[in-house]
């Protein structure tokens, strides 16, 4: 089983809709979770972090964490064509060294 | 604006060459990381360093080595480049307790080995 799993997509949503991106992780001891956005040909950029069960909102983005189910999700409200990118879920497995493990990413395509 | 700078955006090298990829950060971060990214495989950790002169193997260290002589600089070395090392290489840094900030990535080096 991969340590961090994501559906590779593409996930296609119409402009203005809610995009829902999902991720599962294998290590129950994981404490820190991140979502990165990566445009084609560019490097990843951090968009959300979450550490506690529940929801965390930042503008149009909401991260959701359920540690019992080992599940992290990212909701993007009012999706825009500029949101079209690959979204990488990542987990810190080793808090001592801050080593991040990444999923393979979900490609999101927002249709105008 | 904080930055992680990778010395080359594109690089073409011949099989068997020794290749140096340089990464410099200006954030006084303790941790630095080298990943490679390949289609369908995602980002895979090659090496990381949590202090000057300290290094730890990641998931795919074979064929690579690293050097960290100064806090701000972390170099990835391909001892004898091979075609299966053609990839996008990404450097990242983070503060020691920087779980809230995650990583800051450099712009990447696309290496082609011919």
């Amino acid at each position: 089983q991969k340590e961090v799993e994501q559906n590779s997509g593409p996930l296609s949503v119409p402009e203005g809709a809610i995009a829902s991106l999902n991720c599962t992780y294998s290590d129950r001891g994981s404490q820190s979770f991140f979502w990165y956005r990566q445009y084609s040909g560019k490097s990843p950029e951090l968009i959300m972090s979450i550490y506690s069960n529940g929801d965390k909102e930042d503008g149009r983005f909401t991260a959701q964490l359920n540690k019992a189910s080992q599940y992290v999700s990212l909701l993007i409200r009012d999706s825009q064509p500029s949101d079209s990118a690959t979204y990488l879920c990542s987990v810190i497995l080793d808090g001592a060294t801050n080593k991040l493990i990444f999923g393979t990413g979900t490609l999101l395509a927002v249709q105008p | 604006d904080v930055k992680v700078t990778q010395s080359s955006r594109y690089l073409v090298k011949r099989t068997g060459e020794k290749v140096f990829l340089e990464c410099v950060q200006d954030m006084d971060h303790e941790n630095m990381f080298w990943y490679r990214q390949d289609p369908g495989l995602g980002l895979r950790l090659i090496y990381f360093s949590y202090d000057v002169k300290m290094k730890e193997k990641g998931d795919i260290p074979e064929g690579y080595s690293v050097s960290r002589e100064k806090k701000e600089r972390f170099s990835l070395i391909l001892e004898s480049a091979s075609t299966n090392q053609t990839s996008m290489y990404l450097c990242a840094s983070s503060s020691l307790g920087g779980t809230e900030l995650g990583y800051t990535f450099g712009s990447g080096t696309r290496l082609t080995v011919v």
Side-chain angles (χ1 to χ4, degrees):
Chain A
Q1 182 187 3
K2 289 184 180 177
E3 293 171 303
V4 180
E5 292 210 53
Q6 297 180 254
N7 188 319
S8 61
L11 174 65
S12 184
V13 300
E15 184 174 355
I18 295 175
S20 178
L21 303 159
N22 305 313
C23 171
T24 58
Y25 59 95
S26 60
D27 188 343
R28 286 192 172 274
S30 301
Q31 296 296 320
S32 304
F33 308 87
F34 303 87
W35 283 98
Y36 285 81
R37 178 177 62 200
Q38 186 175 24
Y39 292 112
S40 181
K42 303 293 186 182
S43 59
E45 57 178 324
L46 180 67
I47 54 172
M48 288 290 288
S49 59
I50 188 166
Y51 314 101
S52 304
N53 279 328
D55 295 0
K56 178 182 178 182
E57 187 174 320
D58 183 1
R60 296 187 296 112
F61 298 98
T62 298
Q64 298 175 317
L65 175 60
N66 183 326
K67 290 187 179 180
S69 301
Q70 296 174 242
Y71 179 89
V72 192
S73 65
L74 179 70
L75 301 179
I76 306 174
R77 290 181 299 281
D78 188 24
S79 296
Q80 301 296 309
S82 59
D83 294 325
S84 298
T86 296
Y87 289 81
L88 303 170
C89 174
S90 60
V91 176
I92 287 184
L93 298 182
D94 180 355
T97 59
N98 205 18
K99 187 173 78 168
L100 266 179
I101 302 298
F102 287 85
T104 54
T106 298
L107 177 61
L108 173 66
V110 180
Q111 307 299 326
Chain B
D1 195 15
V2 294
K3 280 191 176 175
V4 176
T5 303
Q6 294 184 230
S7 54
S8 303
R9 188 74 179 95
Y10 298 95
L11 213 50
V12 179
K13 295 293 182 180
R14 294 193 180 277
T15 301
E17 276 193 75
K18 191 169 186 177
V19 181
F20 293 85
L21 303 182
E22 305 288 344
C23 176
V24 177
Q25 51 97 1
D26 65 0
M27 296 167 283
D28 201 35
H29 281 170
E30 293 82 5
N31 299 330
M32 296 188 75
F33 306 84
W34 275 106
Y35 286 86
R36 64 177 283 177
Q37 187 173 30
D38 301 287
L41 297 177
L43 279 92
R44 293 179 291 166
L45 182 64
I46 304 171
Y47 268 97
F48 64 102
S49 168
Y50 50 86
D51 202 353
V52 176
K53 296 192 185 294
M54 304 299 287
K55 60 185 179 183
E56 293 282 342
K57 292 180 180 179
D59 299 319
I60 51 165
E62 296 79 18
Y64 303 95
S65 62
V66 290
S67 172
R68 194 167 181 200
E69 296 296 318
K70 294 184 177 182
K71 189 175 186 180
E72 67 270 19
R73 186 181 296 270
F74 191 37
S75 302
L76 180 69
I77 303 155
L78 285 66
E79 298 291 344
S80 177
S82 63
T83 54
N84 63 13
Q85 292 178 309
T86 291
S87 185
M88 170 68 88
Y89 289 87
L90 289 161
C91 175
S93 72
S94 74
S95 61
L96 189 58
T99 54
E100 294 215 357
L101 299 177
Y103 288 9
T104 300
F105 280 90
S107 55
T109 296
R110 185 165 293 282
L111 173 67
T112 302
V113 182
V114 297

